[in-house]
Amino acid sequence: MELPLAITIGVCFLVASFIYKFIVYPAFFSPLSKIPAANWTIHICPLWIYWIRYINIENQTILKLHQAKGPIVRIGPSELSVNCYDGGLKTIYGGGFPKHDFYARRFTNYDTENMFTMVDSKKHSARKRMLSSVYSKSTVLSSPTIRETTKTMLFERLLPIFQHSVETGQSVEVHSLSYAYAMDSFMAYQFGLSLGSNFVQDVEKRKWYMHNFFSRRPYLFWPDNLPGLTSALQKIGIRLIPKWCDDATEDLASWNLEICDQAEKKLAAETDIPPGDYPVIYATERAQFMKADGKERPLNGQSYPPRLELASDAYDHNAAAHETSGDTLTWVYYEMSRNPSLQKQLREELLSLDPPINFPPEDPSNIVLPDFKAVDNLPLLGAILQETLRIWTAVPGAQPRLTPYPSCSLAGYDNIPPNVRVQSYASVLHRNPEVFPDPEAWKPERWLKTSPEQLAEMKRWFWAFGSGGSMCIGSNVAMHTMKHAIAAIYTNYTTSIVDAEGIEQDEGFSAGPKGNKLVLKFHRI
């Protein structure tokens, strides 16, 4: 009888230990138990947050939770959302909290990590330093390559489409076109005009890329949240992600890798590449890799630095550039088309440039652009773009980090243990009424007509490009590209809405209009 009694006691002990560890402690004694919770289930089970993500209502749900419960909310047994600056943004993103492996799950290319997926902060910083100079504001605003490629993008690709629409009376679907313009502009700096994309003019190629890129998105829930289950089921023949998604990923990766290979051949074969064709970003990182380790790897008989590392970074950067800038431009055009008087005010400001960006140019063989710094410093243009980035944040979703060892304090709560997933959401930060009065309204004037103290506070909370060491490296290129498109359009045309159905922002880490379209009519001034 002793053995069964011992077994019974052992089983009871194990059950009691299980109940304490996974139910009693997290619900009543853990430091996290003191933090306001989304509901009672999240203390012991992550199913609630999984469900919220699965049905794709995370950002709006988190906003409502913070409005009801304050600056910090527990949304899972080991997961927090923080919506404050001191004890929040400043601590998490300025304090070196390591990245969650969400980034590696979502953004790894060629099975090779890139700058965006690097968890180790020192490694990330080293990779970022390789490219920091070429992405700096001073370099972007003075780059001969960007000067040449901007002329091509505006005067040969973008503006002729709008002029044709005026002459024919046809409307223009600008959402897809904005993706194309953003991609072409970035890749021209990344690889040069001859190797970069031409999605503005090559509509079929644009459709191919956008279909492959966006059609996979509904299936991202599984690898983002349940990678182990997704992988295990696939091994026994149950696919949560259709095979065509893998095929689409492979097609895009192959396309990008081929461009990288062409850039390498160009650099290896040519000594005098014109500014408009020079692959600036690629060449800069390539040189930094070769300088760092002094190694070269053979590819078809030619010297080649780390091929997949370069390609992984390149893919990540151009994918991010086209989506974020493309979505932002779409919402700028939408808001401007609803505000004819603001279009007039902006045009008056744009005509102060020397010379203005007039189309068609007086001398097509000798196009002169205004000084890039002058465009960058236009106050109303800057306010319009800043306000659009605030209310229509292209990356509205969670930016997850992990709390450090041995513990930390957040939003007034102490002893938060290590390895807790913690994150902020730009779409929630940007709707704090104490910082941004009437937060749901698009008001560019808030960036122009406010006290220095209030302006400084808004800038602290403005998070469209992130903050800290992992802040978006391409923000200066993005701002240049977007400002010149807006300036070129509203110098020469006015716009009005034909079809804006579904212009509301979708959900997700990055998110564009739900309807994936915006149709405008262009009118010559």
Side-chain angles (χ1 to χ4, degrees):
M1 294 296 293
E2 292 182 1
L3 185 58
L5 179 59
I7 292 175
T8 300
I9 293 173
V11 169
C12 290
F13 177 78
L14 290 175
V15 170
S17 298
F18 179 89
I19 292 172
Y20 178 79
K21 182 176 181 179
F22 294 102
I23 298 177
V24 177
Y25 179 79
F28 299 103
F29 298 107
S30 166
L32 302 184
S33 66
K34 302 176 177 64
I35 296 172
N39 63 55
W40 67 271
T41 66
I42 61 89
H43 293 292
I44 58 175
C45 177
L47 289 180
W48 178 85
I49 189 61
Y50 286 163
W51 176 249
I52 293 301
R53 288 174 179 148
Y54 180 74
I55 63 175
N56 206 28
I57 59 169
E58 181 177 358
N59 299 341
Q60 59 184 281
T61 301
I62 297 299
L63 173 62
K64 292 176 182 176
L65 283 171
H66 281 294
Q67 289 172 338
K69 296 178 179 292
I72 185 168
V73 181
R74 190 180 186 186
I75 58 176
S78 187
E79 186 167 354
L80 305 172
S81 175
V82 182
N83 192 53
C84 57
Y85 183 78
D86 291 317
L89 281 187
K90 184 177 179 181
T91 302
I92 299 167
Y93 300 93
F97 282 33
K99 283 184 174 180
H100 188 271
D101 62 6
F102 158 81
Y103 296 92
R105 299 172 191 172
R106 172 78 77 94
F107 300 104
T108 296
N109 309 310
Y110 311 104
D111 293 322
T112 303
E113 68 176 356
N114 52 60
M115 185 175 68
F116 194 53
T117 65
M118 288 177 175
V119 174
D120 183 85
S121 59
K122 291 183 179 179
K123 197 172 183 180
H124 175 272
S125 297
R127 179 67 62 88
K128 193 169 187 178
R129 283 195 297 272
M130 288 183 172
L131 287 164
S132 58
S133 63
V134 79
Y135 278 116
S136 70
K137 189 171 188 177
S138 60
T139 299
V140 170
L141 296 182
S142 62
S143 168
T145 295
I146 289 186
R147 183 158 293 277
E148 291 304 311
T149 59
T150 299
K151 291 178 187 179
T152 298
M153 295 304 149
L154 296 180
F155 290 94
E156 296 181 22
R157 299 190 188 181
L158 189 65
L159 292 175
I161 292 175
F162 302 139
Q163 184 62 29
H164 180 261
S165 75
V166 169
E167 294 170 355
T168 61
Q170 298 176 344
S171 55
V172 181
E173 198 291 289
V174 297
H175 182 48
S176 175
L177 182 61
S178 295
Y179 280 152
Y181 165 78
M183 183 67 135
D184 291 358
S185 297
F186 180 80
M187 290 193 74
Y189 190 41
Q190 187 178 36
F191 293 114
L193 286 167
S194 63
L195 297 181
S197 62
N198 187 1
F199 290 165
V200 170
Q201 295 175 317
D202 191 342
V203 177
E204 290 305 311
K205 192 72 171 181
R206 181 204 312 175
K207 289 179 179 178
W208 168 84
Y209 181 92
M210 299 304 167
H211 172 73
N212 282 342
F213 188 85
F214 288 108
S215 62
R216 305 166 298 165
R217 184 153 292 175
Y219 300 95
L220 291 176
F221 167 82
W222 300 106
D224 283 356
N225 296 279
L226 298 167
L229 175 65
T230 304
S231 178
L233 290 176
Q234 185 165 324
K235 289 178 180 178
I236 61 173
I238 301 174
R239 296 186 65 98
L240 298 176
I241 304 171
K243 185 178 183 304
W244 62 260
C245 288
D246 295 339
D247 294 340
T249 298
E250 180 60 32
D251 287 347
L252 294 176
S254 296
W255 175 77
N256 178 78
L257 187 59
E258 174 61 25
I259 295 175
C260 290
D261 287 345
Q262 291 178 25
E264 182 59 34
K265 291 176 183 178
K266 177 182 282 289
L267 290 168
E270 300 180 33
T271 57
D272 188 17
I273 304 174
D277 278 340
Y278 193 75
V280 175
I281 298 175
Y282 177 87
T284 299
E285 187 170 15
R286 170 188 186 268
Q288 289 295 319
F289 266 120
M290 297 176 74
K291 179 181 178 181
D293 60 18
K295 296 178 181 178
E296 298 180 352
R297 305 181 188 183
L299 174 72
N300 299 329
Q302 68 178 18
S303 297
Y304 202 64
R307 184 187 187 209
L308 296 184
E309 288 91 331
L310 283 164
S312 187
D313 270 337
Y315 187 172
D316 177 68
H317 291 193
N318 59 49
H322 93 258
E323 185 178 5
T324 55
S325 294
D327 286 336
T328 301
L329 283 172
T330 299
W331 283 311
V332 168
Y333 303 151
Y334 168 70
E335 295 288 6
M336 291 296 289
S337 298
R338 300 168 68 206
N339 289 271
S341 62
L342 193 58
Q343 293 185 47
K344 183 178 179 181
Q345 293 176 45
L346 178 60
R347 183 169 185 264
E348 291 173 356
E349 181 179 81
L350 295 170
L351 290 176
S352 69
L353 294 170
D354 183 22
I357 308 176
N358 289 317
F359 184 82
E362 292 184 6
D363 182 2
S365 64
N366 186 31
I367 296 173
V368 179
L369 290 172
D371 182 69
F372 285 171
K373 292 181 181 178
V375 177
D376 187 60
N377 289 331
L378 291 173
L380 181 56
L381 175 61
I384 288 168
L385 190 49
Q386 190 94 341
E387 181 67 353
T388 304
L389 287 164
R390 181 193 70 83
I391 197 169
W392 300 103
T393 309
V395 183
Q399 302 275 353
R401 299 293 189 268
L402 291 173
T403 54
Y405 179 85
S407 66
C408 67
S409 299
L410 293 172
Y413 290 85
D414 300 326
N415 301 315
I416 295 174
N419 294 317
V420 172
R421 173 170 166 157
V422 58
Q423 61 237 320
S424 294
Y425 299 69
S427 57
V428 181
L429 291 162
H430 290 175
R431 282 167 170 77
N432 183 342
E434 295 181 4
V435 180
F436 304 102
D438 196 7
E440 295 295 343
W442 185 78
K443 294 182 176 180
E445 63 271 18
R446 78 170 76 239
W447 298 96
L448 301 171
K449 301 176 181 179
T450 188
S451 68
E453 294 77 17
Q454 181 64 20
L455 181 61
E457 186 69 359
M458 289 194 299
K459 287 182 176 179
R460 286 206 312 166
W461 281 69
F462 180 77
W463 213 49
F465 296 109
S467 59
S470 295
M471 181 178 177
C472 174
I473 194 172
S475 60
N476 294 313
V477 178
M479 293 297 282
H480 169 87
T481 298
M482 292 189 290
K483 284 185 176 181
H484 276 77
I486 300 164
I489 290 171
Y490 289 103
T491 296
N492 298 281
Y493 309 98
T494 61
T495 59
S496 58
I497 295 173
V498 175
D499 184 359
E501 184 180 1
I503 195 64
E504 301 85 4
Q505 188 168 29
D506 206 348
E507 281 274 351
F509 175 79
S510 55
K514 289 182 178 179
N516 292 313
K517 67 178 180 181
L518 174 63
V519 183
L520 300 181
K521 193 73 175 288
F522 285 75
H523 315 269
R524 184 77 201 192
I525 297 176

